[in-house]
Amino acid sequence: MDPTSRTPSPPRPVEPHDQSPPDGPPLRLRPPTHRVDPRARRWWLLRGLAAAGAPTLVVGAVWWLWEPARPWLAVPLVLGVLWTAARVLVEPRLRYAVHRWETTDLAVYGLSGWLVREWRVAPLSRVQTVDAVRGPLEQLLGLATLRVTTASSSGAISLRGLDAELAAELAERLTAVTERTPGDAT
Amino acid sequence: MSESPAAPRDVAPDAAVVEADRPATDDGTPWSRLAPRMIAVDLARSLLSLAPTAVAVGVFGVEASWSTLWPLLLIAAWGVLGAARDAVRWAVTRYRVTDEYVERRSGLLVRRYRSVRRDRIRSVDTTARLRHRLSGLRIVLVGAGQQLAAGESALALDAVARRDAELLRAVLLDRAPALAAADQGAGADAGQDAEHVIARFRPWWVVYNLLSIWSFVTAAGLLWGAYWLLDTFGLDPVAWVEGLLPWERLGRAGTVLVGLALVLAVGAVGMGANYLAASWGLELARVPGEGGTHLRSRQGLLTTREVSRDDRRLRGITVSEPVLWRWMGMADTSVITTGLSIWSASQPAAVLPRGPASVAWPVASAVLAADPDPIGAPLRRHPAGALRRRLWWATATAAIVTGALAWLAATAVLPAWAPWVGAALWPVALLAAVVAHRALGHAVVGDYVVVRSGLVARATSALRRDAVSTIALRESVLQRRLGLRTVAAMTAAGWGRYDAPDVEADEALRFAVAAAPGVLDPFLVRDDG
């Protein structure tokens, strides 16, 4: 076994990785410039009702109708009610306060989440597809999600709660930019 | 309200692999058949699969009736049908290599054409089962960039003669001379004519592959198979095992322990044999090709496998050390590369079989051949907050489990001691939290970003910085309180996502900026505070 028999090369100093800011005040990641559409609050509320409220209702109905199961269902029911309340009362406001997005000719930048916040940046040179996606609830409210995918299966950026026309326009513009960019985006 | 006007960039005309009902080109290139020797092999296979039945009747004198012989007859039917199907496949399959495509025509009733664009071919591998090796045949697997359904190659030719396989590889991997010249840039260092062997197989590595959770599955399979086989031939394995040891004197606990030890021993033998068969003669080498170098591994005792990985697709390497076996320095080594499926059962990304860490680290370093070397570079430890977060979660998990068990015990579903199991979980969880925290680390070394994390298997990944396509910073409510952030680097290769969990918030930003050069720059501002 001689795995390390490479040709020796002059040693380069191993720099600490904060090469960009040598001194001065520390750098900060600024939030993206645009807020999402105010109608997104209603969308998140409806989504919360559908995702948390509906199962809670089912559990509640079973609790009501089937007496022997009550001791078993009390805890799940209470948890379900609390979770629904959080998703309906807190989530839309918090998300509206947090969610922001920005697109430039170089990158797509999104900030999202309520319990877990996430800042995501993808350079347009790595972007493969840009789509405006609209689910049934979004169609009802005139909203759309801008989905930007890269060659990485987990690297997609979703900008949710945008105005439908704005999202379509953005998708068109960004697609034009990515098509101008050479390379196979891996 | 129309759908998005945006069209995906890689639609059909650009796709690497196309399956259609007509050939991709029509330039009159002649089609070739698969190797005719396949028919002889299929005949031999049919005869072999009939052999057990013949032996059972002829040698052991088993009564020739359906009720006694059905398992052997099923085997025979399976073998004969498989061979017949193979022969039909030989009859209907043709392949050809045109200037632009590799094409395969197949299908008995409906003719299908599968074509792979030659400029999208990422790998050409050969593999051979025992029957192929005995008859000088090889299966050729052509891999294209995109990851298809689980474990499927873009195009497989099963099987062609060994000479044809080598020829195909040479033709498909060596692009047009002009393209090769343009690509050579990086790998054009002089003196690359000879191949450079990075690692060779050592039989003693088998000790690293004897015990795992799969031992039990292997043992179960082996024991069940043995019982079933002996039973078919009219022998009684149960009586033999009963006569082996004075089981009554061992008591219940003793019987269980001896049984477990026996099962593990059988499993270890099975695992060891399997390992030796799969990895025997492994040779990992960097070989020059027309279009840059390749990382080639050859291995296998009965079924040989040769995998070539294009160095231009190499994005990094992962060394993973399972927690329970870290004391004996066990490590798995796999490359991070695009175009190889991580889900494939044959694990084409694994450049070394499970073996000693003392070999894995230098090999990883030699595979990357980067300067400065990211493997073995000191990693930055993560702050105490990361430990606190893990301790917190360990405590919360233990508390919830204990609470649930206490509730179940209170309602008399479980015996009264059940909550103590949950309580006993707590110190174990705390220990796991400490181990998980000690595994954390990150660094940027030269062109590579290095992250290390993982409780069950501590995985150290070095990823090229220019391969990072999306960069993300995450912050949960608890992380915000502890001043931590998780940095995730997304890439098209390997698992697609490499995390540095729980980095101190300011350091997280610096690390993210360095990990994806230039990506975050437009969104940074100086803090005037």
Side-chain angles (χ1 to χ4, degrees), chain A residues 80-109:
Chain A
V81 168
L82 287 178
W83 181 237
T84 308
R87 301 253 346 223
V88 168
L89 298 176
V90 184
E91 186 192 356
R93 283 175 224 191
L94 207 52
R95 274 193 189 273
Y96 185 63
V98 170
H99 277 231
R100 280 168 169 275
W101 62 273
E102 182 174 345
T103 61
T104 68
D105 281 349
L106 293 174
V108 181
Y109 177 22

PDB file of all heavy atoms in Angstrom, chain A residues 80-109:
ATOM      1  N   GLY A  80     -53.548  18.133  19.047  1.00  0.00           N
ATOM      2  CA  GLY A  80     -54.055  18.542  17.743  1.00  0.00           C
ATOM      3  C   GLY A  80     -54.655  19.938  17.787  1.00  0.00           C
ATOM      4  O   GLY A  80     -54.406  20.764  16.892  1.00  0.00           O
ATOM      5  N   VAL A  81     -55.423  20.219  18.835  1.00  0.00           N
ATOM      6  CA  VAL A  81     -56.044  21.542  18.956  1.00  0.00           C
ATOM      7  C   VAL A  81     -54.973  22.620  19.101  1.00  0.00           C
ATOM      8  O   VAL A  81     -55.020  23.669  18.441  1.00  0.00           O
ATOM      9  CB  VAL A  81     -57.018  21.565  20.157  1.00  0.00           C
ATOM     10  CG1 VAL A  81     -57.439  22.992  20.474  1.00  0.00           C
ATOM     11  CG2 VAL A  81     -58.228  20.704  19.855  1.00  0.00           C
ATOM     12  N   LEU A  82     -53.961  22.336  19.950  1.00  0.00           N
ATOM     13  CA  LEU A  82     -52.895  23.321  20.144  1.00  0.00           C
ATOM     14  C   LEU A  82     -52.140  23.574  18.837  1.00  0.00           C
ATOM     15  O   LEU A  82     -51.852  24.719  18.475  1.00  0.00           O
ATOM     16  CB  LEU A  82     -51.914  22.822  21.213  1.00  0.00           C
ATOM     17  CG  LEU A  82     -52.428  22.863  22.649  1.00  0.00           C
ATOM     18  CD1 LEU A  82     -51.380  22.302  23.601  1.00  0.00           C
ATOM     19  CD2 LEU A  82     -52.761  24.299  23.041  1.00  0.00           C
ATOM     20  N   TRP A  83     -51.839  22.498  18.119  1.00  0.00           N
ATOM     21  CA  TRP A  83     -51.087  22.619  16.867  1.00  0.00           C
ATOM     22  C   TRP A  83     -51.903  23.400  15.843  1.00  0.00           C
ATOM     23  O   TRP A  83     -51.387  24.270  15.147  1.00  0.00           O
ATOM     24  CB  TRP A  83     -50.716  21.232  16.352  1.00  0.00           C
ATOM     25  CG  TRP A  83     -49.922  21.216  15.079  1.00  0.00           C
ATOM     26  CD1 TRP A  83     -50.266  20.586  13.927  1.00  0.00           C
ATOM     27  CD2 TRP A  83     -48.665  21.847  14.825  1.00  0.00           C
ATOM     28  NE1 TRP A  83     -49.310  20.776  12.973  1.00  0.00           N
ATOM     29  CE2 TRP A  83     -48.304  21.555  13.486  1.00  0.00           C
ATOM     30  CE3 TRP A  83     -47.813  22.645  15.580  1.00  0.00           C
ATOM     31  CZ2 TRP A  83     -47.134  22.025  12.902  1.00  0.00           C
ATOM     32  CZ3 TRP A  83     -46.637  23.107  14.992  1.00  0.00           C
ATOM     33  CH2 TRP A  83     -46.314  22.810  13.683  1.00  0.00           C
ATOM     34  N   THR A  84     -53.217  23.095  15.763  1.00  0.00           N
ATOM     35  CA  THR A  84     -54.066  23.832  14.830  1.00  0.00           C
ATOM     36  C   THR A  84     -54.083  25.317  15.184  1.00  0.00           C
ATOM     37  O   THR A  84     -53.978  26.185  14.307  1.00  0.00           O
ATOM     38  CB  THR A  84     -55.493  23.273  14.866  1.00  0.00           C
ATOM     39  OG1 THR A  84     -55.441  21.869  14.681  1.00  0.00           O
ATOM     40  CG2 THR A  84     -56.341  23.886  13.773  1.00  0.00           C
ATOM     41  N   ALA A  85     -54.211  25.611  16.475  1.00  0.00           N
ATOM     42  CA  ALA A  85     -54.239  27.009  16.901  1.00  0.00           C
ATOM     43  C   ALA A  85     -52.949  27.714  16.486  1.00  0.00           C
ATOM     44  O   ALA A  85     -52.969  28.836  15.972  1.00  0.00           O
ATOM     45  CB  ALA A  85     -54.431  27.090  18.414  1.00  0.00           C
ATOM     46  N   ALA A  86     -51.826  27.028  16.691  1.00  0.00           N
ATOM     47  CA  ALA A  86     -50.546  27.636  16.324  1.00  0.00           C
ATOM     48  C   ALA A  86     -50.483  27.882  14.821  1.00  0.00           C
ATOM     49  O   ALA A  86     -50.062  28.947  14.368  1.00  0.00           O
ATOM     50  CB  ALA A  86     -49.392  26.730  16.761  1.00  0.00           C
ATOM     51  N   ARG A  87     -50.927  26.897  14.044  1.00  0.00           N
ATOM     52  CA  ARG A  87     -50.817  27.037  12.598  1.00  0.00           C
ATOM     53  C   ARG A  87     -51.757  28.111  12.067  1.00  0.00           C
ATOM     54  O   ARG A  87     -51.473  28.738  11.059  1.00  0.00           O
ATOM     55  CB  ARG A  87     -51.140  25.704  11.900  1.00  0.00           C
ATOM     56  CG  ARG A  87     -50.259  24.587  12.309  1.00  0.00           C
ATOM     57  CD  ARG A  87     -49.224  24.143  11.302  1.00  0.00           C
ATOM     58  NE  ARG A  87     -49.297  24.550   9.945  1.00  0.00           N
ATOM     59  CZ  ARG A  87     -49.076  23.754   8.914  1.00  0.00           C
ATOM     60  NH1 ARG A  87     -48.854  22.483   9.126  1.00  0.00           N
ATOM     61  NH2 ARG A  87     -49.078  24.206   7.692  1.00  0.00           N
ATOM     62  N   VAL A  88     -52.894  28.298  12.737  1.00  0.00           N
ATOM     63  CA  VAL A  88     -53.875  29.256  12.224  1.00  0.00           C
ATOM     64  C   VAL A  88     -53.601  30.669  12.756  1.00  0.00           C
ATOM     65  O   VAL A  88     -53.675  31.644  12.019  1.00  0.00           O
ATOM     66  CB  VAL A  88     -55.291  28.784  12.601  1.00  0.00           C
ATOM     67  CG1 VAL A  88     -56.296  29.884  12.357  1.00  0.00           C
ATOM     68  CG2 VAL A  88     -55.659  27.546  11.810  1.00  0.00           C
ATOM     69  N   LEU A  89     -53.257  30.769  14.048  1.00  0.00           N
ATOM     70  CA  LEU A  89     -53.120  32.098  14.654  1.00  0.00           C
ATOM     71  C   LEU A  89     -51.706  32.656  14.515  1.00  0.00           C
ATOM     72  O   LEU A  89     -51.525  33.851  14.296  1.00  0.00           O
ATOM     73  CB  LEU A  89     -53.494  32.032  16.139  1.00  0.00           C
ATOM     74  CG  LEU A  89     -54.946  31.613  16.407  1.00  0.00           C
ATOM     75  CD1 LEU A  89     -55.191  31.479  17.895  1.00  0.00           C
ATOM     76  CD2 LEU A  89     -55.909  32.608  15.788  1.00  0.00           C
ATOM     77  N   VAL A  90     -50.708  31.797  14.663  1.00  0.00           N
ATOM     78  CA  VAL A  90     -49.337  32.302  14.722  1.00  0.00           C
ATOM     79  C   VAL A  90     -48.636  32.210  13.381  1.00  0.00           C
ATOM     80  O   VAL A  90     -48.025  33.173  12.916  1.00  0.00           O
ATOM     81  CB  VAL A  90     -48.524  31.522  15.790  1.00  0.00           C
ATOM     82  CG1 VAL A  90     -47.132  32.107  15.909  1.00  0.00           C
ATOM     83  CG2 VAL A  90     -49.248  31.552  17.118  1.00  0.00           C
ATOM     84  N   GLU A  91     -48.757  31.029  12.723  1.00  0.00           N
ATOM     85  CA  GLU A  91     -47.937  30.769  11.548  1.00  0.00           C
ATOM     86  C   GLU A  91     -48.085  31.832  10.450  1.00  0.00           C
ATOM     87  O   GLU A  91     -47.074  32.347   9.975  1.00  0.00           O
ATOM     88  CB  GLU A  91     -48.229  29.376  10.985  1.00  0.00           C
ATOM     89  CG  GLU A  91     -47.274  29.016   9.852  1.00  0.00           C
ATOM     90  CD  GLU A  91     -47.689  27.778   9.078  1.00  0.00           C
ATOM     91  OE1 GLU A  91     -48.687  27.142   9.460  1.00  0.00           O
ATOM     92  OE2 GLU A  91     -47.016  27.466   8.092  1.00  0.00           O
ATOM     93  N   PRO A  92     -49.314  32.198  10.026  1.00  0.00           N
ATOM     94  CA  PRO A  92     -49.423  33.147   8.917  1.00  0.00           C
ATOM     95  C   PRO A  92     -48.735  34.471   9.213  1.00  0.00           C
ATOM     96  O   PRO A  92     -47.994  34.998   8.391  1.00  0.00           O
ATOM     97  CB  PRO A  92     -50.927  33.339   8.752  1.00  0.00           C
ATOM     98  CG  PRO A  92     -51.535  32.126   9.345  1.00  0.00           C
ATOM     99  CD  PRO A  92     -50.631  31.736  10.471  1.00  0.00           C
ATOM    100  N   ARG A  93     -48.933  34.996  10.432  1.00  0.00           N
ATOM    101  CA  ARG A  93     -48.323  36.287  10.764  1.00  0.00           C
ATOM    102  C   ARG A  93     -46.812  36.197  10.796  1.00  0.00           C
ATOM    103  O   ARG A  93     -46.097  37.042  10.260  1.00  0.00           O
ATOM    104  CB  ARG A  93     -48.825  36.745  12.138  1.00  0.00           C
ATOM    105  CG  ARG A  93     -50.223  37.300  12.061  1.00  0.00           C
ATOM    106  CD  ARG A  93     -50.700  37.623  13.431  1.00  0.00           C
ATOM    107  NE  ARG A  93     -52.066  37.164  13.573  1.00  0.00           N
ATOM    108  CZ  ARG A  93     -52.843  37.499  14.599  1.00  0.00           C
ATOM    109  NH1 ARG A  93     -52.357  38.231  15.563  1.00  0.00           N
ATOM    110  NH2 ARG A  93     -54.064  37.077  14.656  1.00  0.00           N
ATOM    111  N   LEU A  94     -46.346  35.131  11.473  1.00  0.00           N
ATOM    112  CA  LEU A  94     -44.903  34.975  11.608  1.00  0.00           C
ATOM    113  C   LEU A  94     -44.263  34.794  10.242  1.00  0.00           C
ATOM    114  O   LEU A  94     -43.247  35.416   9.916  1.00  0.00           O
ATOM    115  CB  LEU A  94     -44.627  33.751  12.489  1.00  0.00           C
ATOM    116  CG  LEU A  94     -43.327  33.756  13.272  1.00  0.00           C
ATOM    117  CD1 LEU A  94     -43.204  35.043  14.057  1.00  0.00           C
ATOM    118  CD2 LEU A  94     -43.291  32.575  14.222  1.00  0.00           C
ATOM    119  N   ARG A  95     -44.867  33.953   9.408  1.00  0.00           N
ATOM    120  CA  ARG A  95     -44.316  33.718   8.080  1.00  0.00           C
ATOM    121  C   ARG A  95     -44.306  35.008   7.267  1.00  0.00           C
ATOM    122  O   ARG A  95     -43.341  35.297   6.567  1.00  0.00           O
ATOM    123  CB  ARG A  95     -45.126  32.649   7.345  1.00  0.00           C
ATOM    124  CG  ARG A  95     -44.683  31.236   7.641  1.00  0.00           C
ATOM    125  CD  ARG A  95     -45.299  30.273   6.658  1.00  0.00           C
ATOM    126  NE  ARG A  95     -45.073  28.882   7.027  1.00  0.00           N
ATOM    127  CZ  ARG A  95     -44.000  28.187   6.677  1.00  0.00           C
ATOM    128  NH1 ARG A  95     -43.061  28.742   5.964  1.00  0.00           N
ATOM    129  NH2 ARG A  95     -43.876  26.935   7.035  1.00  0.00           N
ATOM    130  N   TYR A  96     -45.394  35.775   7.372  1.00  0.00           N
ATOM    131  CA  TYR A  96     -45.450  37.016   6.600  1.00  0.00           C
ATOM    132  C   TYR A  96     -44.352  37.963   7.041  1.00  0.00           C
ATOM    133  O   TYR A  96     -43.791  38.715   6.246  1.00  0.00           O
ATOM    134  CB  TYR A  96     -46.824  37.670   6.741  1.00  0.00           C
ATOM    135  CG  TYR A  96     -46.975  38.889   5.862  1.00  0.00           C
ATOM    136  CD1 TYR A  96     -46.917  38.761   4.480  1.00  0.00           C
ATOM    137  CD2 TYR A  96     -47.127  40.154   6.406  1.00  0.00           C
ATOM    138  CE1 TYR A  96     -47.024  39.866   3.662  1.00  0.00           C
ATOM    139  CE2 TYR A  96     -47.240  41.270   5.593  1.00  0.00           C
ATOM    140  CZ  TYR A  96     -47.184  41.115   4.226  1.00  0.00           C
ATOM    141  OH  TYR A  96     -47.279  42.210   3.409  1.00  0.00           O
ATOM    142  N   ALA A  97     -44.062  37.960   8.337  1.00  0.00           N
ATOM    143  CA  ALA A  97     -43.000  38.835   8.840  1.00  0.00           C
ATOM    144  C   ALA A  97     -41.629  38.345   8.389  1.00  0.00           C
ATOM    145  O   ALA A  97     -40.724  39.153   8.189  1.00  0.00           O
ATOM    146  CB  ALA A  97     -43.059  38.902  10.371  1.00  0.00           C
ATOM    147  N   VAL A  98     -41.477  37.022   8.233  1.00  0.00           N
ATOM    148  CA  VAL A  98     -40.150  36.465   7.935  1.00  0.00           C
ATOM    149  C   VAL A  98     -39.886  36.379   6.441  1.00  0.00           C
ATOM    150  O   VAL A  98     -38.845  36.815   5.958  1.00  0.00           O
ATOM    151  CB  VAL A  98     -40.007  35.066   8.573  1.00  0.00           C
ATOM    152  CG1 VAL A  98     -38.752  34.381   8.059  1.00  0.00           C
ATOM    153  CG2 VAL A  98     -39.963  35.172  10.080  1.00  0.00           C
ATOM    154  N   HIS A  99     -40.861  35.830   5.689  1.00  0.00           N
ATOM    155  CA  HIS A  99     -40.598  35.469   4.293  1.00  0.00           C
ATOM    156  C   HIS A  99     -40.215  36.684   3.452  1.00  0.00           C
ATOM    157  O   HIS A  99     -40.905  37.703   3.476  1.00  0.00           O
ATOM    158  CB  HIS A  99     -41.843  34.816   3.677  1.00  0.00           C
ATOM    159  CG  HIS A  99     -41.954  33.367   3.998  1.00  0.00           C
ATOM    160  ND1 HIS A  99     -42.155  32.402   3.058  1.00  0.00           N
ATOM    161  CD2 HIS A  99     -41.891  32.719   5.177  1.00  0.00           C
ATOM    162  CE1 HIS A  99     -42.219  31.227   3.639  1.00  0.00           C
ATOM    163  NE2 HIS A  99     -42.062  31.394   4.919  1.00  0.00           N
ATOM    164  N   ARG A 100     -39.131  36.523   2.713  1.00  0.00           N
ATOM    165  CA  ARG A 100     -38.682  37.566   1.806  1.00  0.00           C
ATOM    166  C   ARG A 100     -38.004  36.913   0.627  1.00  0.00           C
ATOM    167  O   ARG A 100     -37.525  35.780   0.717  1.00  0.00           O
ATOM    168  CB  ARG A 100     -37.689  38.495   2.514  1.00  0.00           C
ATOM    169  CG  ARG A 100     -38.365  39.510   3.399  1.00  0.00           C
ATOM    170  CD  ARG A 100     -37.389  40.207   4.285  1.00  0.00           C
ATOM    171  NE  ARG A 100     -38.038  41.339   4.920  1.00  0.00           N
ATOM    172  CZ  ARG A 100     -38.148  42.537   4.363  1.00  0.00           C
ATOM    173  NH1 ARG A 100     -37.624  42.759   3.179  1.00  0.00           N
ATOM    174  NH2 ARG A 100     -38.767  43.506   4.991  1.00  0.00           N
ATOM    175  N   TRP A 101     -37.928  37.633  -0.471  1.00  0.00           N
ATOM    176  CA  TRP A 101     -37.284  37.062  -1.653  1.00  0.00           C
ATOM    177  C   TRP A 101     -36.632  38.147  -2.473  1.00  0.00           C
ATOM    178  O   TRP A 101     -36.957  39.327  -2.336  1.00  0.00           O
ATOM    179  CB  TRP A 101     -38.292  36.300  -2.512  1.00  0.00           C
ATOM    180  CG  TRP A 101     -39.383  37.174  -3.027  1.00  0.00           C
ATOM    181  CD1 TRP A 101     -40.542  37.478  -2.393  1.00  0.00           C
ATOM    182  CD2 TRP A 101     -39.416  37.876  -4.272  1.00  0.00           C
ATOM    183  NE1 TRP A 101     -41.296  38.322  -3.150  1.00  0.00           N
ATOM    184  CE2 TRP A 101     -40.635  38.578  -4.313  1.00  0.00           C
ATOM    185  CE3 TRP A 101     -38.537  37.966  -5.344  1.00  0.00           C
ATOM    186  CZ2 TRP A 101     -40.990  39.380  -5.401  1.00  0.00           C
ATOM    187  CZ3 TRP A 101     -38.887  38.757  -6.426  1.00  0.00           C
ATOM    188  CH2 TRP A 101     -40.109  39.455  -6.444  1.00  0.00           C
ATOM    189  N   GLU A 102     -35.727  37.697  -3.324  1.00  0.00           N
ATOM    190  CA  GLU A 102     -35.033  38.640  -4.196  1.00  0.00           C
ATOM    191  C   GLU A 102     -34.421  37.869  -5.351  1.00  0.00           C
ATOM    192  O   GLU A 102     -33.908  36.773  -5.173  1.00  0.00           O
ATOM    193  CB  GLU A 102     -33.917  39.345  -3.407  1.00  0.00           C
ATOM    194  CG  GLU A 102     -33.162  40.380  -4.204  1.00  0.00           C
ATOM    195  CD  GLU A 102     -32.170  41.146  -3.326  1.00  0.00           C
ATOM    196  OE1 GLU A 102     -32.278  41.058  -2.092  1.00  0.00           O
ATOM    197  OE2 GLU A 102     -31.285  41.806  -3.885  1.00  0.00           O
ATOM    198  N   THR A 103     -34.532  38.428  -6.547  1.00  0.00           N
ATOM    199  CA  THR A 103     -33.816  37.822  -7.669  1.00  0.00           C
ATOM    200  C   THR A 103     -32.987  38.908  -8.331  1.00  0.00           C
ATOM    201  O   THR A 103     -33.442  40.038  -8.488  1.00  0.00           O
ATOM    202  CB  THR A 103     -34.769  37.248  -8.729  1.00  0.00           C
ATOM    203  OG1 THR A 103     -35.568  38.314  -9.254  1.00  0.00           O
ATOM    204  CG2 THR A 103     -35.684  36.200  -8.142  1.00  0.00           C
ATOM    205  N   THR A 104     -31.755  38.542  -8.666  1.00  0.00           N
ATOM    206  CA  THR A 104     -30.917  39.448  -9.440  1.00  0.00           C
ATOM    207  C   THR A 104     -30.542  38.724 -10.725  1.00  0.00           C
ATOM    208  O   THR A 104     -30.999  37.608 -10.961  1.00  0.00           O
ATOM    209  CB  THR A 104     -29.641  39.820  -8.666  1.00  0.00           C
ATOM    210  OG1 THR A 104     -28.830  38.650  -8.568  1.00  0.00           O
ATOM    211  CG2 THR A 104     -29.962  40.313  -7.277  1.00  0.00           C
ATOM    212  N   ASP A 105     -29.713  39.346 -11.539  1.00  0.00           N
ATOM    213  CA  ASP A 105     -29.276  38.659 -12.754  1.00  0.00           C
ATOM    214  C   ASP A 105     -28.236  37.600 -12.446  1.00  0.00           C
ATOM    215  O   ASP A 105     -27.811  36.857 -13.320  1.00  0.00           O
ATOM    216  CB  ASP A 105     -28.707  39.668 -13.752  1.00  0.00           C
ATOM    217  CG  ASP A 105     -29.824  40.387 -14.488  1.00  0.00           C
ATOM    218  OD1 ASP A 105     -30.977  39.937 -14.345  1.00  0.00           O
ATOM    219  OD2 ASP A 105     -29.554  41.386 -15.176  1.00  0.00           O
ATOM    220  N   LEU A 106     -27.821  37.510 -11.183  1.00  0.00           N
ATOM    221  CA  LEU A 106     -26.800  36.543 -10.816  1.00  0.00           C
ATOM    222  C   LEU A 106     -27.322  35.433  -9.920  1.00  0.00           C
ATOM    223  O   LEU A 106     -26.814  34.323  -9.948  1.00  0.00           O
ATOM    224  CB  LEU A 106     -25.645  37.253 -10.094  1.00  0.00           C
ATOM    225  CG  LEU A 106     -24.817  38.205 -10.936  1.00  0.00           C
ATOM    226  CD1 LEU A 106     -23.810  38.935 -10.069  1.00  0.00           C
ATOM    227  CD2 LEU A 106     -24.111  37.422 -12.035  1.00  0.00           C
ATOM    228  N   ALA A 107     -28.323  35.729  -9.107  1.00  0.00           N
ATOM    229  CA  ALA A 107     -28.712  34.747  -8.101  1.00  0.00           C
ATOM    230  C   ALA A 107     -30.184  34.877  -7.724  1.00  0.00           C
ATOM    231  O   ALA A 107     -30.826  35.892  -7.981  1.00  0.00           O
ATOM    232  CB  ALA A 107     -27.846  34.907  -6.856  1.00  0.00           C
ATOM    233  N   VAL A 108     -30.700  33.812  -7.117  1.00  0.00           N
ATOM    234  CA  VAL A 108     -32.021  33.822  -6.499  1.00  0.00           C
ATOM    235  C   VAL A 108     -31.809  33.667  -5.006  1.00  0.00           C
ATOM    236  O   VAL A 108     -31.021  32.818  -4.566  1.00  0.00           O
ATOM    237  CB  VAL A 108     -32.889  32.655  -7.024  1.00  0.00           C
ATOM    238  CG1 VAL A 108     -34.265  32.688  -6.381  1.00  0.00           C
ATOM    239  CG2 VAL A 108     -32.995  32.724  -8.520  1.00  0.00           C
ATOM    240  N   TYR A 109     -32.474  34.492  -4.224  1.00  0.00           N
ATOM    241  CA  TYR A 109     -32.231  34.530  -2.787  1.00  0.00           C
ATOM    242  C   TYR A 109     -33.580  34.504  -2.081  1.00  0.00           C
ATOM    243  O   TYR A 109     -34.441  35.333  -2.358  1.00  0.00           O
ATOM    244  CB  TYR A 109     -31.452  35.810  -2.477  1.00  0.00           C
ATOM    245  CG  TYR A 109     -31.145  36.089  -1.010  1.00  0.00           C
ATOM    246  CD1 TYR A 109     -31.130  35.067  -0.061  1.00  0.00           C
ATOM    247  CD2 TYR A 109     -30.842  37.376  -0.595  1.00  0.00           C
ATOM    248  CE1 TYR A 109     -30.836  35.340   1.256  1.00  0.00           C
ATOM    249  CE2 TYR A 109     -30.535  37.664   0.722  1.00  0.00           C
ATOM    250  CZ  TYR A 109     -30.537  36.646   1.652  1.00  0.00           C
ATOM    251  OH  TYR A 109     -30.251  36.918   2.947  1.00  0.00           O
TER     252      TYR A 109
END
